[in-house]
Amino acid sequence: MSSVAVLTQESFAEHRSGLAQQQVKVTALNSEEENDPPTYKEAFPPLPEKAPCLEAAQEPAGPWSKIRPIKASVITQVFHVPLEERKYKDMNQFGEGEQAKICLDIMQKTGAHLELSLAKDQGLSIMVSGKLEAVMKARKEIVARLQTQASATVAIPKEHHRFVIGKNGEKLQDLELKTATKIQIPRPDDPSNQIKITGTKEGIEKARHEILLISAEQDKRAVERLDVEKVYHPFIAGPYNKLVSELMQDTGTRINIPPPSVNKTEIVFTGEKEQLAQAVARVKKIYEEKKKKTTTIAVEVKKSQHKYVIGPKGNSLQEILEKTGVSVEIPPTDSSSETVILRGEPEKLGQALTEVYAKANSFTVSSVSAPSWLHRFIIGKKGQNLAKITQQMPKVHIEFTEGEDKITLEGPTEDVNVAQEQIEVMVKDLINRMDYAEINVDHKFHRHLIGKNGANINRIKDLYKVSVRIPPDNEKSNLIRIEGDPQGVQQAKKELLELASRMENERTKDLIIEQKFHRTIIGQKGERIREIREKFPEVIINFPDPAHKSDIVQLRGPKNEVEKCTKYMQKMVADLVENSFSISVPIFKQFHKNIIGKGGANIKKIREESNTKIDLPAENSNSETIVITGKRANCEAARHRILAIQKELANITEVEVSIPSKLHNSLIGAKGRFIRSIMEECGGVHIHFPTEGSGSDTVTIRGPAQDVEKAKKQLLHLAEEKQTKSYTVDLRAKPEYHKFLIGKGGGNIRKVRDNTGARIIFPTSEDKDQELITIMGTEEAVKEAQKELEALIKNLDNVVEDSMVVDPKHHRHFVIRRGQVLREIADEYGGVMVSFPRSGTQSDKVTLKGAKDCVEAAKKRIQEIIEDLEAQVTIECTIPQKFHRSIMGPKGSRIQQITRDYGVQIKFPDREENPAPVAEPVVQENGEEGGEGKDGKDADPSSPKKCDIIIISGRREKCEAAKEALQALVPVTIEVEVPFDLHRYIIGQKGSGIRKMMDEFEVNIQVPAPELQSDIITITGLATNLAGLLERVKELQAEQEDRALRSFKLTVTVDPKYHPKIIGRKGAVITQIRTEHEVNIQFPDKDDESQAQDQITITGYEKNAEAARDAIMKIVGELEQMVSEDVTLDHRVHARIIGARGKAIRKIMDEFKVDIRFPQSGAPDPNCVTVTGLPENVEEAIDHILNLEEEYLADVVDNEAMQVYMKPSSHEESKAPSKGFVVRDAPWATVNNEKAPDMSSSEDFPSFGAQVAPKTLPWGPKR
């Protein structure tokens, strides 16, 4: 395969340089001719004549062989997999099955092209084409997936493993790719030295060889340490480390000399043994020589001048060492000594001393007066102006101090003078052509001056070419500063003042709208507020941030428009309020599910019937408050219904019983029949068994306390019975007999149980078989109960007809309300049929038909009802009309309860429409009138009003009992003395506390108005409920006393600079103090200038507050002992010392218990690092990071040197103007023409071959 390359001037030059590097000898040129330009034929040799096939196969001799071939980017390799190593041998048809799928997958993954062929020996040949990287990856995949894998181990010393892995594992990856193997190296904590290689036999051998080579190379290396006095280290290193670098280059040995800051005398040599020995010998020789020849002198130099003697990064010391061969020893920065020691050969010391004094006096400090507001203009945008000076005089350090009207310059005397002159000229020029103005504008208008996204202020800045500084909101400052061209400043000032004046004339109105309506007014995606703004375009409407919980909506604009907008929005809110009355009902969390009901049935019913919106808190929320929204009357109705459900449930209790899990299924019974019968019998308690397979023995019983106890006894008794012996029998009886068999209140069935000890279970309404009755217990008890029940059922099957006499005056009682009384008798007594004569006939005969026992029982019940009717009396109960609603209770529930309990009828009088006015309020106490009404002259003061008389009908004794029950429901009023300070705790947030107490104790509480400052609270309610309420009031008083004790305040004065350390990272330290001592700790607000910034307030019990104060002062004490030191650390190693995400620096800070701060980007001194902590910790930390600097810096220097070597700079070559590529004797050349050829000319450079083909890419046609 051949390819044609189109060469440009650049690529040809590259080829020639390539040939030179590879030392390709060109026989046609001698050394003299090499300096002259080549001839055209030499540079562009003609193609060889067409040769026979055999010759063509050989490499063509001639000039074209001199040019380095251009490598194709696509390569092709062939791999052979022998039959015995093939993974997939049995294939019906070649190119199908798993092998083909794997090849397709490899092609997709790597981008290489695969072609498979089968050799005669059934071996597999695979041709892989593609880029080198893709081919290598494909090869690795082929070996792993199409070739059977072998494995081998190779043992090399553990310390050599890291050299096999290489930096970031690169060497190991390359080795795996090259050998198409998988190499597993044991982890550092694994003591094994065995490396496992998996792959083909050939690959394993290659990998094993490479690993052993790496190990052998490391075996040649050795390490030696030489102890040399610290003062002689500079002589061994040489100026700018030149001597040691030469030594390392000559011997190939790595020599590590500890830096001056590290107090170590040991020099470490690493390298091959022979070369290492040479390096050690040479260092020893230098050391011995200097020890003999050198002497010292000590001179005094001011401490402030030491840094000039040292120079930036120690350059001045190195310069002196290079010039004179004398080492200058400077005392450490933390030492107060001013003595500088010079060490060197006696004749050189004088010259060195002169150099030291010259360096010390070569720098000066000066200052230039410049107003502080001009500083940023002197610096310029992104430091451009200042950069011009610093680039000319890089040794001059210029410092601007905020708030001071001067600029400080430091550096060499001559440079400082030049820089000072330049800055003074700049300052003078700025003062002449720039001005500033300050205006006072109320800070509340600042954001309007700025405009949306800075639109207003940016327009003014661009228009007048000025800078405008508006203070941030947290400063609460009114001062606005304008700087720039004097004319522009005046114009900008005028416009800003006009804008401010216009704003002051505008009307701003605060509209109080409850925050809950804000979202509704704004509307979905701001639709509704957009309509309002379009209606009132001149009015700016600002809603508060939802996080601030504010109700204030601010309107701003012309007075008339603001008024119109206010009325419009108030009307909108009034409409919302009417339909958005909301009340919060606190309900115990455990009852929420009962209020919701199964599938939400209860809550849905309440919502529909009351026409309200009811929101319950989320299941995972701790809130117990249910919020009802709608019209006021509807909300109240919904509230009463929800409270009624809670009241009904509130008397419940929950107990846990331990019953072996193996008995649970038998206790539950088929489809839960058995356990359901216990639950119904015990008043509807809930019995919950653990899930099957959980292994738990705990059974939970929940319901009214008395019923729970009863169910618990029955369960335990049955469990005990089940464990001993259990026997079951089924009976059948018509469903209408069941109630008769059970008897009134379960009397009949209880009698059978008591006599026999067996348990009898009747079917529920959900059971399919309504005739099945189950008897359980011991065999003897079951048989006896069966006998009794069968006798009862037999009697019930014996139908008889009987009659009795009932006075016609009582007939109506039995047949009214669609014969409800008769239906109740039929249900209770086995479906007995009772027939009364038709109305209009004067017959008194009543016919009964049914089972004999049922008929007899029904006759007896009818006789009892008649006796009650004949013994019925009517009595009056006088209770003032104003208490009637209270007595009735919600939806008449209390009255219904009394009528059921006492079997009486109660009738309330009609309400009096227009009661006569009374002169004085009638005082009611215990339901009796304590005053006299004035209904008219003839009215008997002692006679009760008709509207106050309640009629009770029934048996006399029951009527009397019902009367007493009614009178007990009359509310009484008492006055309770509660300190005025406690009233707000009784009322609670938005009245929630008082509402809760009124609902809980069913009373009315009247708290006096705050302006009265009265301690008397009036409570109206049932006498029985008042006692519980008074107990609650006492509890509140006790809570108030405890609250007062908890409100002890303590103030601690702590310097604000220590506050962040006391707070700790993410508040960890202060949270621990708060939790440990149960106190609240408040730090001053940084933005509040009126607040003392050094005061920390502690609130809690006195003892706890003092303990917290001591804990804070202890931290402060530790902080005050700390010191801060600056250390110069080469900025190139900062990133490595900090580590990934600060991990390394955090480790150092934790280890040495210090705080280390690195300079920010753009800092004046990028090498200055600050270390803060206890003195001894700071010293140790500085030593440690300087050691790291030395170690990392060596790597940095090596890397930089390597990069220089790998990427030779081409800028030097490009300095001289390029003549282009020149050849002699070219066809186009004339006598005086040295013009470079036109590469684009088809005449000068005709295409190879005959016909002119269409234009192709430079490297041939696409495939």
Side-chain angles (χ1 to χ4, degrees):
M1 178 178 142
S2 64
S3 62
V4 175
V6 179
L7 296 178
T8 61
Q9 281 179 315
E10 291 79 5
S11 61
F12 190 80
E14 190 181 317
H15 274 278
R16 289 191 56 76
S17 64
L19 289 168
Q21 284 170 12
Q22 292 183 28
Q23 298 177 349
V24 177
K25 293 180 182 177
V26 181
T27 55
L29 300 174
N30 59 29
S31 58
E32 289 176 8
E33 288 172 324
E34 279 178 8
N35 299 325
D36 297 325
T39 63
Y40 179 74
K41 281 189 179 180
E42 288 166 352
F44 299 99
L47 289 170
E49 295 295 323
K50 194 171 182 183
C53 295
L54 286 168
E55 289 175 12
Q58 296 170 359
E59 190 179 331
W64 278 98
S65 62
K66 301 168 193 172
I67 297 173
R68 184 179 59 178
I70 297 168
K71 286 185 182 177
S73 61
V74 175
I75 66 157
T76 302
Q77 283 192 14
V78 179
F79 307 122
H80 187 71
V81 181
L83 175 65
E84 62 273 12
E85 288 184 19
R86 277 177 58 194
K87 239 186 203 179
Y88 304 97
K89 296 174 190 172
D90 305 322
M91 287 189 295
N92 298 330
Q93 193 173 346
F94 183 72
E96 290 183 356
E98 193 64 29
Q99 186 170 273
K101 286 179 188 173
I102 289 168
C103 288
L104 281 170
D105 187 43
I106 293 169
M107 284 162 73
Q108 283 174 352
K109 267 189 186 176
T110 62
H113 179 70
L114 270 65
E115 286 182 21
L116 273 69
S117 60
L118 209 58
K120 285 181 183 178
D121 62 355
Q122 294 300 302
L124 195 64
S125 290
I126 304 161
M127 187 168 78
V128 187
S129 305
K131 292 189 176 178
L132 179 64
E133 191 183 348
V135 170
M136 296 308 285
K137 282 182 181 174
R139 180 189 171 198
K140 189 180 176 187
E141 288 279 334
I142 290 163
V143 169
R145 296 170 70 178
L146 295 180
Q147 214 165 342
T148 53
Q149 302 289 293
S151 66
T153 57
V154 57
I156 64 167
K158 187 81 178 170
E159 58 269 20
H160 295 173
H161 286 193
R162 64 193 180 96
F163 298 104
V164 176
I165 297 166
K167 192 175 182 181
N168 297 326
E170 286 172 6
K171 194 157 190 176
L172 182 64
Q173 286 171 9
D174 289 346
L175 194 56
E176 285 184 332
L177 266 177
K178 201 191 292 180
T179 60
T181 56
K182 175 73 181 165
I183 301 168
Q184 289 173 299
I185 295 174
R187 294 177 64 81
D189 51 3
D190 186 346
S192 170
N193 64 355
Q194 298 283 339
I195 296 175
K196 188 180 178 185
I197 311 164
T198 310
T200 61
K201 288 177 185 175
E202 184 190 350
I204 288 169
E205 283 304 316
K206 278 185 186 176
R208 192 169 179 279
H209 174 70
E210 289 287 341
I211 290 166
L212 289 170
L213 271 179
I214 292 166
S215 181
E217 195 180 316
Q218 293 308 316
D219 276 336
K220 293 176 186 174
R221 299 179 73 78
V223 177
E224 190 170 328
R225 288 173 169 79
L226 182 65
D227 204 26
V228 175
E229 286 178 59
K230 187 79 179 169
V231 292
Y232 294 106
H233 285 193
F235 299 113
I236 292 163
Y240 302 105
N241 288 329
K242 283 179 185 174
L243 195 57
V244 77
S245 298
E246 282 173 22
L247 194 56
M248 283 160 69
Q249 202 170 347
D250 293 348
T251 61
T253 306
R254 185 181 172 86
I255 303 168
N256 188 13
I257 301 172
S261 56
V262 178
N263 194 21
K264 283 186 181 176
T265 57
E266 207 175 58
I267 297 174
V268 181
F269 299 81
T270 312
E272 292 187 7
K273 291 175 184 175
E274 290 176 12
Q275 294 169 328
L276 184 139
Q278 287 177 23
V280 172
R282 283 173 69 176
V283 167
K284 277 183 180 175
K285 187 181 175 186
I286 294 167
Y287 172 47
E288 294 298 335
E289 190 181 317
K290 291 295 177 186
K291 206 171 180 182
K292 284 178 188 175
K293 290 184 179 179
T294 58
T295 182
T296 61
I297 59 166
V299 293
E300 296 295 316
V301 176
K302 284 182 185 175
K303 190 76 180 173
S304 60
Q305 293 179 322
H306 283 195
K307 60 181 177 179
Y308 305 133
V309 176
I310 296 166
K313 297 181 187 176
N315 278 347
S316 297
L317 294 179
Q318 297 295 333
E319 195 182 314
I320 294 166
L321 182 60
E322 189 176 34
K323 278 185 182 177
T324 64
V326 174
S327 165
V328 181
E329 296 163 21
I330 307 284
T333 50
D334 54 351
S335 164
S336 59
S337 170
E338 294 188 339
T339 305
V340 175
I341 297 167
L342 282 72
R343 186 183 302 274
E345 293 175 12
E347 61 273 13
K348 301 281 182 72
L349 287 173
Q351 187 190 347
L353 185 60
T354 308
E355 287 284 338
V356 168
Y357 281 124
K359 297 284 182 196
N361 298 317
S362 63
F363 278 71
T364 185
V365 176
S366 180
S367 65
V368 176
S369 293
S372 59
W373 67 273
L374 280 179
H375 287 188
R376 61 196 189 87
F377 296 106
I378 294 164
I379 294 164
K381 195 175 183 181
K382 294 181 182 177
Q384 284 176 348
N385 296 348
L386 206 60
K388 291 172 187 174
I389 299 169
T390 53
Q391 280 169 5
Q392 290 173 13
M393 288 149 286
K395 292 182 181 178
V396 176
H397 174 68
I398 304 168
E399 190 176 325
F400 294 83
T401 310
E402 194 176 345
E404 286 189 19
D405 292 340
K406 67 170 185 175
I407 303 164
T408 308
L409 291 85
E410 185 182 337
T413 311
E414 290 178 13
D415 288 0
V416 166
N417 292 337
V418 174
Q420 186 173 349
E421 281 175 22
Q422 289 186 12
I423 291 171
E424 281 172 350
V425 168
M426 202 184 288
V427 170
K428 193 175 180 183
D429 175 54
L430 285 168
I431 288 170
N432 290 337
R433 64 184 177 83
M434 294 196 77
D435 194 7
Y436 76 92
E438 290 180 345
I439 58 171
N440 273 300
V441 176
D442 195 324
H443 69 268
K444 68 184 176 186
F445 297 132
H446 287 186
R447 61 196 181 96
H448 304 300
L449 288 177
I450 293 165
K452 193 173 184 180
N453 297 327
N456 290 353
I457 206 70
N458 287 338
R459 181 184 60 77
I460 291 167
K461 283 178 180 178
D462 295 340
L463 186 62
Y464 303 118
K465 303 285 185 276
V466 292
S467 168
V468 183
R469 189 194 176 278
I470 296 177
D473 287 347
N474 55 14
E475 284 185 18
K476 299 281 193 302
S477 169
N478 296 341
L479 197 69
I480 296 176
R481 188 181 177 97
I482 311 162
E483 296 166 356
D485 177 70
Q487 192 180 349
V489 166
Q490 291 308 315
Q491 288 174 325
K493 178 183 176 181
K494 186 182 174 185
E495 185 165 340
L496 284 171
L497 286 171
E498 280 175 8
L499 278 170
S501 173
R502 202 182 309 152
M503 284 171 195
E504 282 171 0
N505 293 330
E506 283 182 343
R507 172 81 188 276
T508 300
K509 187 166 184 177
D510 288 342
L511 196 59
I512 308 293
I513 299 173
E514 281 188 70
Q515 197 184 31
K516 63 182 178 182
F517 296 127
H518 291 188
R519 188 174 286 181
T520 315
I521 293 167
I522 293 165
Q524 194 174 11
K525 294 182 182 176
E527 289 168 4
R528 291 184 73 174
I529 197 67
R530 208 177 293 120
E531 284 174 23
I532 299 169
R533 283 176 175 150
E534 283 169 7
K535 201 165 187 174
F536 305 99
E538 291 179 306
V539 180
I540 296 167
I541 304 166
N542 287 323
F543 282 86
D545 190 317
H548 292 163
K549 307 286 182 192
S550 171
D551 294 337
I552 297 169
V553 176
Q554 195 179 70
L555 309 181
R556 190 170 60 80
K559 188 176 179 181
N560 293 343
E561 289 298 304
V562 167
E563 288 301 327
K564 284 179 190 175
C565 186
T566 303
K567 284 177 184 175
Y568 182 85
M569 288 185 77
Q570 282 173 338
K571 187 176 181 297
M572 185 188 279
V573 171
D575 293 342
L576 287 171
V577 169
E578 190 181 344
N579 292 308
S580 303
F581 176 79
S582 179
I583 52 173
S584 298
V585 188
I587 299 289
F588 292 120
K589 193 80 177 175
Q590 64 263 38
F591 302 137
H592 284 199
K593 58 184 176 186
N594 304 89
I595 287 161
I596 295 165
K598 192 172 183 180
N602 292 358
I603 199 77
K604 190 178 178 184
K605 191 178 178 186
I606 297 169
R607 279 173 181 152
E608 286 172 358
E609 289 179 5
S610 63
N611 192 24
T612 56
K613 180 189 173 192
I614 302 171
D615 295 318
L616 287 98
E619 198 175 340
N620 54 1
S621 162
N622 292 326
S623 171
E624 293 187 342
T625 306
I626 295 174
V627 180
I628 308 168
T629 312
K631 291 193 174 176
R632 191 185 189 100
N634 295 350
C635 289
E636 290 292 342
R639 178 170 167 270
H640 282 305
R641 289 187 65 171
I642 289 170
L643 287 171
I645 293 170
Q646 178 178 248
K647 190 180 176 186
E648 193 179 313
L649 294 164
N651 189 28
I652 64 166
T653 185
E654 191 175 287
V655 295
E656 291 182 347
V657 185
S658 185
I659 294 171
S661 55
K662 62 183 179 182
L663 299 176
H664 290 185
N665 283 343
S666 58
L667 286 173
I668 293 166
K671 295 182 182 177
R673 285 179 68 228
F674 194 14
I675 201 67
R676 223 169 19 241
S677 72
I678 297 172
M679 292 189 332
E680 285 168 6
E681 190 182 324
C682 300
V685 296
H686 287 104
I687 301 173
H688 176 72
F689 284 83
T691 52
E692 196 173 351
S694 66
S696 172
D697 293 344
T698 306
V699 178
T700 308
I701 310 167
R702 185 169 170 271
Q706 198 175 349
D707 293 336
V708 165
E709 197 56 41
K710 186 177 173 186
K712 180 182 173 183
K713 282 179 183 173
Q714 284 205 26
L715 268 179
L716 290 171
H717 175 70
L718 280 166
E720 193 181 332
E721 209 173 79
K722 288 273 182 195
Q723 276 179 312
T724 53
K725 195 179 180 185
S726 183
Y727 187 72
T728 307
V729 163
D730 290 338
L731 281 179
R732 305 191 80 78
K734 291 178 184 177
E736 55 265 29
Y737 295 163
H738 290 190
K739 274 195 177 179
F740 181 75
L741 291 172
I742 293 165
K744 192 173 183 180
N748 295 350
I749 208 72
R750 200 179 298 115
K751 194 176 176 184
V752 175
R753 273 191 200 146
D754 294 344
N755 291 343
T756 62
R759 178 166 194 81
I760 300 148
I761 302 164
F762 285 86
T764 62
S765 55
E766 288 89 13
D767 289 337
K768 285 183 182 176
D769 193 345
Q770 289 291 309
E771 293 188 354
L772 190 70
I773 300 167
T774 307
I775 310 167
M776 299 178 78
T778 60
E779 189 175 351
E780 189 185 340
V782 168
K783 284 183 177 176
E784 197 177 331
Q786 184 184 5
K787 193 177 173 183
E788 283 194 34
L789 281 174
E790 281 174 345
L792 282 169
I793 293 164
K794 194 175 178 183
N795 286 342
L796 291 172
D797 286 336
N798 182 18
V799 177
V800 295
E801 192 171 314
D802 201 353
S803 63
M804 64 181 294
V805 175
V806 176
D807 194 318
K809 68 179 180 183
H810 299 312
H811 287 193
R812 187 171 177 277
H813 176 77
F814 289 97
V815 296
I816 58 168
R817 296 194 300 278
R818 297 182 183 179
Q820 186 180 340
V821 176
L822 293 179
R823 281 202 306 276
E824 286 173 4
I825 291 168
D827 287 346
E828 203 168 328
Y829 300 104
V832 68
M833 289 175 65
V834 183
S835 302
F836 276 80
R838 287 184 182 180
S839 59
T841 60
Q842 292 301 310
S843 173
D844 57 1
K845 186 182 176 185
V846 176
T847 307
L848 295 93
K849 188 179 180 182
K852 189 179 179 183
D853 291 349
C854 293
V855 167
E856 288 302 320
K859 278 172 75 176
K860 191 177 175 185
R861 175 67 186 132
I862 291 168
Q863 202 59 48
E864 284 175 5
I865 293 168
I866 292 165
E867 282 174 17
D868 283 346
L869 290 169
E870 286 177 346
Q872 187 169 311
V873 296
T874 300
I875 65 167
E876 293 179 352
C877 176
T878 304
I879 294 172
Q881 189 184 26
K882 65 178 180 179
F883 297 129
H884 288 189
R885 181 174 287 181
S886 171
I887 291 166
M888 286 179 188
K891 293 191 176 180
S893 58
R894 288 178 181 165
I895 290 301
Q896 287 165 15
Q897 187 66 39
I898 292 171
T899 56
R900 277 198 301 273
D901 291 349
Y902 299 102
V904 294
Q905 295 294 320
I906 301 171
K907 187 176 185 301
F908 279 80
D910 294 332
R911 289 182 66 80
E912 191 176 16
E913 290 299 323
N914 296 309
V918 288
E920 292 176 7
V922 180
V923 179
Q924 302 284 341
E925 199 162 312
N926 295 328
E928 294 172 6
E929 283 193 350
E932 292 181 4
K934 295 185 180 179
D935 292 336
K937 290 178 183 178
D938 302 329
D940 183 0
S942 61
S943 66
K945 295 180 189 175
K946 190 179 178 182
C947 63
D948 294 343
I949 297 168
I950 299 167
I951 309 294
I952 307 169
S953 304
R955 281 180 173 266
R956 178 166 290 282
E957 64 274 14
K958 290 186 177 179
C959 285
E960 291 297 336
K963 183 180 178 180
E964 285 177 19
L966 280 174
Q967 287 173 339
L969 291 173
V970 175
V972 296
T973 301
I974 61 165
E975 289 184 344
V976 183
E977 191 171 333
V978 178
F980 179 73
D981 294 344
L982 275 181
H983 289 194
R984 61 196 179 100
Y985 299 111
I986 290 170
I987 294 165
Q989 194 174 14
K990 294 184 179 178
S992 62
I994 200 162
R995 280 200 299 273
K996 187 177 178 182
M997 288 165 75
M998 285 161 72
D999 293 339
E1000 190 178 337
F1001 298 103
E1002 294 180 358
V1003 294
N1004 181 42
I1005 303 171
Q1006 288 184 325
V1007 179
E1011 56 268 15
L1012 297 176
Q1013 296 280 312
S1014 171
D1015 292 347
I1016 305 299
I1017 291 178
T1018 308
I1019 306 167
T1020 306
L1022 301 182
T1024 51
N1025 293 343
L1026 294 177
L1029 183 63
L1030 292 172
E1031 284 296 320
R1032 177 72 186 125
V1033 170
K1034 284 179 185 173
E1035 283 173 24
L1036 282 170
Q1037 284 175 319
E1039 282 175 19
Q1040 168 64 4
E1041 287 168 14
D1042 184 59
R1043 200 177 283 111
L1045 288 172
R1046 280 206 312 271
S1047 301
F1048 176 78
K1049 276 193 179 180
L1050 198 66
T1051 307
V1052 187
T1053 303
V1054 176
D1055 193 318
K1057 68 180 180 184
Y1058 297 135
H1059 290 190
K1061 290 288 182 186
I1062 295 167
I1063 292 164
R1065 188 176 172 140
K1066 293 183 181 177
V1069 177
I1070 203 68
T1071 303
Q1072 190 180 347
I1073 296 171
R1074 281 175 179 148
T1075 310
E1076 197 176 318
H1077 300 287
E1078 295 176 347
V1079 292
N1080 181 33
I1081 301 170
Q1082 201 68 37
F1083 284 83
D1085 186 353
K1086 287 180 185 174
D1087 300 331
D1088 189 354
E1089 293 176 4
S1090 61
Q1091 202 174 349
Q1093 292 297 306
D1094 59 351
Q1095 300 292 313
I1096 298 173
T1097 309
I1098 307 168
T1099 311
Y1101 291 113
E1102 186 174 356
K1103 187 179 175 183
N1104 293 2
E1106 286 173 354
R1109 177 195 62 196
D1110 295 344
I1112 289 170
M1113 293 316 291
K1114 186 183 176 185
I1115 294 168
V1116 172
E1118 288 172 3
L1119 291 171
E1120 283 175 344
Q1121 290 176 17
M1122 290 187 178
V1123 295
S1124 281
E1125 278 199 32
D1126 290 347
V1127 58
T1128 301
L1129 207 65
D1130 194 302
H1131 65 276
R1132 291 175 295 175
V1133 300
H1134 287 192
R1136 280 195 68 182
I1137 290 171
I1138 292 165
R1141 296 183 183 178
K1143 195 174 179 182
I1145 199 67
R1146 276 202 299 277
K1147 189 178 176 185
I1148 294 168
M1149 291 196 289
D1150 292 344
E1151 186 181 339
F1152 294 100
K1153 295 182 176 60
V1154 292
D1155 183 56
I1156 301 172
R1157 291 275 173 260
F1158 284 84
Q1160 293 182 340
S1161 57
D1165 185 357
N1167 300 326
C1168 183
V1169 176
T1170 307
V1171 185
T1172 309
L1174 295 173
E1176 59 274 16
N1177 293 351
V1178 168
E1179 283 181 24
E1180 287 176 15
I1182 288 173
D1183 286 350
H1184 180 73
I1185 59 175
L1186 286 172
N1187 283 346
L1188 290 176
E1189 181 201 23
E1190 184 70 24
E1191 186 182 325
Y1192 296 156
L1193 205 52
D1195 290 346
V1196 169
V1197 171
D1198 287 352
N1199 288 340
E1200 285 175 356
M1202 185 62 73
Q1203 284 185 0
V1204 169
Y1205 174 74
M1206 290 182 68
K1207 293 183 183 175
S1209 57
S1210 57
H1211 68 276
E1212 290 176 11
E1213 295 169 16
S1214 63
K1215 279 180 186 175
S1218 174
K1219 282 184 177 183
F1221 179 64
V1222 180
V1223 293
R1224 291 181 290 117
D1225 306 330
W1228 59 83
T1230 58
V1231 179
N1232 297 319
N1233 188 11
E1234 286 191 358
K1235 186 182 171 188
D1238 179 8
M1239 297 288 185
S1240 61
S1241 167
S1242 58
E1243 289 179 16
D1244 294 344
F1245 289 88
S1247 58
F1248 296 114
Q1251 292 183 355
V1252 178
K1255 190 178 179 184
T1256 60
L1257 292 170
W1259 299 103
K1262 283 185 181 177
R1263 297 193 176 193

